[in-house]
Amino acid sequence: MSIQRTQVAIIGAGPAGLLLGQLLHRAGIASVIVERQGGEYVLGRIRAGVLEQTTCDLLDEAGVGARLHAEGLVHGGIELAFGGARHRIDMHTLTAGKHVTVYGQTEVTRDLMEARHAEGLTTVYEASDVALHDFDGTHPCITYTHGGSAHTLHCDFIAGCDGYHGVSRASVPEGALRTFEKVYPFGWLGILADTPPVSHELIYSNHARGFALCSMRSPTRTRYYVQCPLEDKVEQWSDAAFWDELRARLDPAAAEALVTGPSIEKSIAPLRSFVAEPMRFGRLFLAGDAAHIVPPTGAKGLNLAASDVRYLSRALIEHYGDKSSAGIDHYSDACLKRVWKAVRFSWWFTSLMHKFPDTGEFGQKLQQAELDYLVHSRAASTALAENYVGMPFEAAGHPV
Ligand code: RFL
Ligand code: PHB
């Protein structure tokens, strides 16, 4: 049995936990990260690929932006495919010069892990039975099992960065939490392949057979998705079946240009919108997927995790530096304002682009009318572009 102490105990070594640890370290605040899985397992999860400018800025602030700037692909637009043609949304022009960067979550996680390792900071991988205690008082702690023995970590604060299925949100007493949820009646089947991207920008396709997305990780590695029934199992989908289905959902020019190859990874993700309120309980803060989930259509999941971490790191730095609790007290409200904007955008974009089993031809006609309006109205295109590149933060740290 070992007993240790740190300032901030972080549960979860995903992008939220690692980024928080790095930002705190640079401000001289000590943290220990406790993670259920091994490091290689965390790196093996293929997830998000699009970073907002504010996320890139935060990675710079954390001192891990070098490879992102060298290898990240700057995108000033996206393409919407429907009715057999593609239409470009020029985000760069519509948002007065903003863009997104295509850089995989795996790479973000790797950069953060390496920086943490280089600084000699503690991450406990393969920790089991993590439990949170006394976060409603002034002396919280967490307990866990590692290497067959029991450990207690005393701390000032606990950051619950342990994702949707984590222990942190589940530790909050019933009745203290309100949850809001929408489950979508389909999933995304995704594959990763070493093939050149079909287009130099992302293609979001609305098709009578269902939604498709052509994304990428580099000029030689693609990440493609097709909407699939929730019941589908990954084993049912051969590579050939995936490529046929993707090709069928693209406009003729893209279908013709599509280069196929063996998949490196293939997985199915369900789509869900979920928010837990509030995001703070005494000395416990929830951040990232532990507090909220969005369907991936708007590419907001990872960016929201970064935005929570931005607020939380600033709040804790203010607490230790200025002895002020203003940031801590404002944390939940500040995050949730931004979270709900991303939840709305992701829901809207999902609703516009997917085939819904229950809305029938009427629903499809409405989607076609809205898509046509969207690509021909500067006002509507601007609303999409503004949300896609990410909402700005106000100077005072409060979201617009
Ligand atoms: P993560 O990445 O889930 O990390 C949480 C970490 O906590 C660990 N953990 C525990 N550790 C200790 N004790 C416990 N009891 C624990 N329980 C869990 C986990 O092992 C894990 O390492 O959450 P974080 O850091 O908040 O980051 C959020 C992002 O990962 C997430 O928002 C995005 O990846 C969402 N998402 C996508 N977002 C996009 O923007 N574009 C995408 O294409 C996209 N695809 C996805 C996704 C999320 C998926 N999930 C969660 C199933 C595809 C999938 C499959
Ligand atoms: C991805 O590259 O994995 C990706 C890109 C954009 C999205 C979702 C996923 O909206």
Side-chain angles (χ1 to χ4, degrees):
M1 162 113 180
S2 86
I3 298 178
Q4 288 170 300
R5 193 187 147 78
T6 191
Q7 287 174 297
V8 182
I10 300 175
I11 306 178
L18 287 167
L19 181 56
L20 178 64
Q22 202 60 21
L23 290 165
L24 293 180
H25 170 67
R26 288 174 81 90
I29 300 169
S31 69
V32 169
I33 303 185
V34 178
E35 161 65 47
R36 182 170 55 183
Q37 307 286 354
E40 283 310 308
Y41 180 92
V42 172
L43 282 176
R45 295 187 294 221
I46 309 297
R47 292 185 178 174
V50 176
L51 306 183
E52 296 173 3
Q53 187 56 48
T54 51
T55 303
C56 295
D57 292 345
L58 203 61
L59 291 166
D60 277 338
E61 208 177 300
V64 294
R67 206 159 63 90
L68 162 70
H69 292 296
E71 296 175 20
L73 306 172
V74 173
H75 284 206
I78 55 171
E79 294 187 293
L80 300 182
F82 58 95
R86 264 179 285 158
H87 308 261
R88 182 166 192 266
I89 303 291
D90 184 346
M91 299 185 308
H92 193 263
T93 303
L94 292 166
T95 62
K98 292 192 183 165
H99 57 257
V100 293
T101 303
V102 174
Y103 189 69
Q105 179 167 333
T106 309
E107 307 312 318
V108 173
T109 308
R110 192 190 306 279
D111 294 342
L112 286 162
M113 276 169 97
E114 282 176 5
R116 192 166 176 85
H117 183 72
E119 304 277 0
L121 306 175
T122 312
T123 309
V124 182
Y125 285 101
E126 295 177 354
S128 54
D129 312 319
V130 176
L132 294 71
H133 310 274
D134 304 326
F135 50 81
D136 50 350
T138 48
H139 295 93
C141 72
I142 66 170
T143 53
Y144 59 93
T145 307
H146 183 248
S149 49
H151 299 262
T152 300
L153 179 62
H154 293 281
C155 55
D156 301 329
F157 298 100
I158 302 174
C161 302
D162 48 351
Y164 181 67
H165 299 288
V167 63
S168 300
R169 193 181 70 251
S171 305
V172 173
E174 224 176 291
L177 200 72
R178 266 193 89 187
T179 59
F180 304 83
E181 184 172 39
K182 178 173 175 61
V183 176
Y184 299 85
F186 40 73
W188 276 20
L189 168 67
I191 74 162
L192 193 66
D194 277 330
T195 54
V198 65
S199 170
H200 66 285
E201 290 180 340
L202 271 62
I203 305 174
Y204 289 84
S205 177
N206 172 303
H207 192 275
R209 297 179 68 93
F211 170 75
L213 168 61
C214 298
S215 182
M216 65 193 74
R217 289 291 176 272
S218 75
T220 57
R221 181 166 284 187
T222 47
R223 179 71 170 157
Y224 292 147
Y225 299 94
V226 294
Q227 173 185 350
C228 68
L230 265 181
E231 314 75 55
D232 276 15
K233 299 275 172 276
V234 118
E235 306 77 53
Q236 289 168 244
W237 283 89
S238 66
D239 287 359
F242 178 88
W243 291 118
D244 286 347
E245 192 56 43
L246 176 63
R247 196 181 291 106
R249 296 182 187 190
L250 298 177
D251 60 286
E256 173 76 22
L258 183 68
V259 179
T260 65
S263 64
I264 310 169
E265 193 264 3
K266 202 187 283 162
S267 53
I268 293 182
L271 268 65
R272 180 193 305 271
S273 301
F274 172 86
V275 183
E277 292 187 357
M279 288 171 59
R280 174 201 166 197
F281 309 87
R283 288 179 170 252
L284 166 64
F285 302 91
L286 301 179
D289 279 16
H292 40 73
I293 294 285
V294 287
T297 324
K300 291 287 167 243
L302 176 56
N303 292 298
L304 272 187
S307 122
D308 293 349
V309 166
R310 186 178 185 276
Y311 285 117
L312 184 52
S313 57
R314 280 157 170 66
L316 291 171
I317 292 166
E318 203 175 301
H319 166 85
Y320 286 110
D322 308 341
K323 310 281 178 242
S324 158
S325 70
I328 286 175
D329 293 338
H330 192 57
Y331 172 73
S332 181
D333 287 347
C335 289
L336 284 167
K337 244 175 131 173
R338 207 174 160 83
V339 165
W340 275 109
K341 288 197 177 73
V343 168
R344 185 212 66 81
F345 172 66
S346 305
W347 159 82
W348 168 79
F349 204 25
T350 302
S351 307
L352 179 67
M353 298 307 293
H354 290 74
K355 181 178 174 149
F356 281 76
D358 296 334
T359 57
E361 286 182 10
F362 181 76
Q364 284 186 13
K365 286 283 184 192
L366 289 184
Q367 284 183 341
Q368 285 159 17
E370 184 165 1
L371 282 163
D372 194 49
Y373 171 62
L374 185 58
V375 299
H376 290 110
S377 155
R378 190 177 170 95
S381 296
T382 304
L384 167 59
E386 225 168 55
N387 280 278
Y388 197 90
V389 300
M391 291 290 169
F393 287 91
E394 272 179 9
H398 303 297
V400 181

